[in-house]
Amino acid sequence: MWRQGNIKIGNNIIQYFIKQYEEGSQYGINNGRISKLTLKRDGETIANYDRGWDITPIDSDAEIALAIIL
């Protein structure tokens, strides 16, 4: 199931898009339920996971947003 939304961190709005399953898998982040994730700030991709990290979180905003989502 795809989900999307926004997270406010400081003065920034981080958009997230995730594909989440009922159960964890070897393809999920930390063997979890999220197999695809994109984080964007002002249209720029700041993290991207698609069964593996294509773009690791580039800064603390991205890391905080990821921690909130997980």
Side-chain angles (χ1 to χ4, degrees):
M1 171 191 293
W2 282 98
R3 297 176 186 225
Q4 66 182 46
N6 298 308
I7 299 172
K8 183 171 182 175
I9 299 173
N11 293 326
N12 296 309
I13 301 293
I14 309 297
Q15 289 181 290
Y16 66 86
F17 306 88
I18 61 172
K19 187 169 189 180
Q20 179 179 352
Y21 291 93
E22 293 290 323
E23 296 184 21
S25 107
Q26 67 185 24
Y27 301 110
I29 298 173
N30 300 329
N31 293 317
R33 300 176 355 183
I34 297 173
S35 66
K36 297 183 182 196
L37 168 130
T38 301
L39 299 176
K40 293 187 174 193
R41 179 181 52 223
D42 298 326
E44 176 190 1
T45 300
I46 59 173
N48 193 67
Y49 185 94
D50 187 351
R51 296 184 169 194
W53 287 107
D54 301 312
I55 302 171
T56 57
I58 66 170
D59 59 21
S60 63
D61 285 354
E63 291 172 357
I64 292 167
L66 176 61
I68 291 168
I69 291 168
L70 294 178

